Amino acid sequence: MALTVILPKVLAFLEKQHGLYIQGQWKESSGSDRLTVFDPATGNSVSSVPDASLLDVNQAVQSAKQSFDNGIWRGLTPCARERVLLRLADLVERDAEILAQLETLEQGKSITLSRILEAGGAQNWIRYVAGLSTKLAGKSMDVSIPLPPGARYTSFTRKEPVGVVAGIVPWNFPLLISVWKILPALAAGCSVVAKPSETTPLTLLYLAQLATEAGVPDGVFNVVTGRGTGAGEALVRHPDIAKVSFTGSTPVGKRIAEICGARLARVSLELGGKNPALVLADADVDQVVSGLALAGFLNQGQVCAACSRVYIEAPLFDKVAAGLAAAIGSMRIGPGLDETTQINPVVSAAHQAKINAYQQTALEKGAEIVWGQDVPENGGYYVRPALVLNPNDALPLAREEVFGPVMTLTRVRNAEEGLAYANDSRFGLAASVWTTGLQAAIDLPARLQAGTVWVNSHVMIDPNLPFGGLKDSGLGRDFGTDWLDAFTETKSICIRY
């Protein structure tokens, strides 16, 4: 085992008595309750943060509202906002190793993933969305208003920032998804109050201080830490929050939608997935095995778009099953700070217990399970990776989002049967088709009920590719050239002359 050496700046940040980040500075909570941050590889405490009170949330929202009303940020030229956000990307690049190590220590994922997908991905997404600051545009239009006779009109629309945005961030990719919540809001001219998951708050707190260093004005970017049932719900209910952007579970997303609907607040929801793959008989087996091993076990399957159920045409089933069994059997299990490992701990003891319960139920119901390597016995929140072969479709593991290193493989007679199984789900986030045939590559993606469909790939995303779900997988789309539209209002202006 060769563990990454923790940087002194990381140790210093962990040892801080963290407060809330309000009005461009650290603020003590009005309450005394704190939340412990654990290292998933050991189960040991590494830091703590405040469990924000209602008063704390109100202060953060007031800070954001004041900054929005006085125009200190939204009043800047688009180019000026772009420059500040590009400077933030440079600071994330400068401190990339600090952010990556914090991410692995609080979330458990491989340090390699933290470097590439979190710190590296954050830089790319910040730079992409910074460029959108200067691309907001309305339209001019001809109108045919008949009165009064002889009057002429010029009409156009303009995009205006929606106001104060609440960004509620999950624990699976804390840094990167923070960027997805906060940066488009800032690029559009909004002010922000962000709340990280109570289990993974550190990288967002670090990002907030980098934003101030980059030149984001005080009060524009605020962070409150705390439980979803406390600080999270207070944010969603606050009358000065104009929009809520949430990524997380479907039940919580539905609750947020109800609250926002009652007061007509804007909301976007990126929720759960039970994402299928269709493997046709003409697919390249090596490509399928390597692609699905990545798509199903990246970050221990704690990815909203992860492939969790695979439908394989009968002629290829045994080869794909054998290949995936060999793949998970060769995956080394250990702490995320060890660069040689491929399977790392899941985020928390509670999540570990949840995944294990799904696996135990499947065993008790007689499911055929192919296991990966044994997990370490010296503590930590490890889950043994598993393939479940031809499960009963009524098993909870086959229907519900497990969000762990578990994949089901089901033999089907043909693509039509696989398609029917794939669409028989309340989720509709992502899917994939594996084939060398052009006709299937064109036909099947259009018939899959999912917001994103890959062909001969799965789980790979890009800032320029819109992402979001159907059915119980959410509302709205992130990424792409229209990303900022969700953080703006369209105002129509009509001038008679």
Side-chain angles (χ1 to χ4, degrees), residues 312-329:
I312 309 166
E313 285 193 309
L316 226 58
F317 182 87
D318 290 340
K319 290 182 180 179
V320 171
L324 286 170
I328 68 167

Side-chain angles (χ1 to χ4, degrees), residues 4-360:
T4 299
V5 176
I6 304 301
L7 296 174
K9 288 185 177 180
V10 172
L11 294 173
F13 192 78
L14 293 174
E15 292 167 2
K16 284 183 61 172
Q17 179 74 2
H18 292 289
L20 310 169
Y21 202 79
I22 300 173
Q23 198 61 29
Q25 57 188 304
W26 300 106
K27 297 276 190 180
E28 289 188 12
S29 171
S30 63
S32 59
D33 292 342
R34 296 188 69 81
L35 300 169
T36 302
V37 181
F38 295 97
D39 176 0
T42 63
N44 296 332
S45 168
V46 292
S47 192
S48 71
V49 296
D51 188 4
S53 67
L54 178 60
L55 178 60
D56 297 330
V57 172
N58 288 339
Q59 289 178 342
V61 176
Q62 182 182 27
S63 172
K65 183 69 161 55
Q66 287 176 345
S67 75
F68 185 78
D69 288 345
N70 67 27
I72 194 172
W73 177 249
R74 67 182 173 91
L76 296 178
T77 65
C79 281
R81 290 200 301 272
E82 180 185 45
R83 280 197 298 273
V84 171
L85 299 182
L86 288 173
R87 196 174 304 131
L88 175 58
D90 291 341
L91 294 175
V92 170
E93 183 174 10
R94 182 197 70 188
D95 290 355
E97 183 63 15
I98 296 172
L99 286 161
Q101 291 188 12
L102 287 173
E103 183 83 357
T104 291
L105 285 167
E106 69 175 347
Q107 201 277 336
K109 67 167 59 73
S110 164
I111 187 65
T112 302
L113 291 183
S114 293
R115 289 167 178 158
I116 296 172
L117 297 184
E118 295 277 8
Q123 298 166 42
N124 292 339
W125 257 272
I126 294 171
R127 290 182 175 121
Y128 179 88
V129 80
L132 298 181
S133 301
T134 57
K135 310 303 185 295
L136 280 170
K139 297 179 180 179
S140 62
M141 58 207 72
D142 291 332
V143 295
S144 302
I145 300 173
L147 296 174
R152 301 176 68 186
Y153 296 88
T154 291
S155 299
F156 59 93
T157 61
R158 57 176 280 117
K159 298 286 187 179
E160 297 182 349
V162 70
V164 179
V165 173
I168 302 179
V169 181
W171 48 255
N172 58 330
F173 289 94
L175 175 59
L176 187 56
I177 298 180
S178 291
V179 167
W180 297 350
K181 301 297 174 198
I182 296 159
L183 267 294
L186 295 179
C190 300
S191 295
V192 175
V193 181
K195 192 201 84 67
S197 166
E198 57 263 37
T199 58
T200 55
L202 299 178
T203 49
L204 177 49
L205 288 171
Y206 196 94
L207 182 68
Q209 67 181 20
L210 290 185
T212 297
E213 183 180 349
V216 174
D218 294 347
V220 172
F221 181 177
N222 308 273
V223 179
V224 292
T225 56
R227 302 181 192 276
T229 53
E233 182 141 343
L235 261 182
V236 172
R237 290 188 177 278
H238 201 289
D240 287 332
I241 295 294
K243 175 184 170 67
V244 176
S245 178
F246 170 78
T247 295
S249 73
T250 295
V252 175
K254 288 183 176 181
R255 174 68 175 157
I256 289 172
E258 290 175 0
I259 296 170
C260 290
R263 61 184 189 84
L264 297 181
R266 306 295 184 264
V267 63
S268 59
L269 305 169
E270 198 270 279
L271 306 178
K274 188 67 176 174
N275 308 299
L278 301 183
V279 180
L280 275 57
D282 64 355
D284 182 312
V285 173
D286 291 339
Q287 188 179 63
V288 170
V289 169
S290 61
L292 292 183
L294 175 66
F297 298 95
L298 178 76
N299 196 25
Q300 294 61 254
Q302 300 169 123
V303 182
C304 57
C307 178
S308 56
R309 52 194 178 109
V310 185
Y311 302 103
I312 309 166
E313 285 193 309
L316 226 58
F317 182 87
D318 290 340
K319 290 182 180 179
V320 171
L324 286 170
I328 68 167
S330 67
M331 291 178 180
R332 189 159 177 264
I333 301 177
L337 289 175
D338 183 349
E339 295 182 23
T340 67
T341 60
Q342 294 83 41
I343 295 291
N344 311 113
V346 298
V347 70
S348 67
H351 193 54
Q352 177 193 41
K354 176 185 172 184
I355 300 168
N356 286 337
Y358 276 116
Q359 293 180 338
Q360 183 60 35

Side-chain angles (χ1 to χ4, degrees), residues 478-493:
D478 289 322
F479 316 159
T481 56
D482 298 326
W483 196 359
L484 300 197
D485 286 353
F487 297 87
T488 64
E489 298 283 9
T490 299
K491 178 178 287 183
S492 296
I493 298 173

Side-chain angles (χ1 to χ4, degrees), residues 356-369 371 395:
N356 286 337
Y358 276 116
Q359 293 180 338
Q360 183 60 35
T361 299
L363 277 174
E364 292 171 356
K365 297 293 185 179
E368 181 182 356
I369 300 181
W371 298 99
L395 273 179

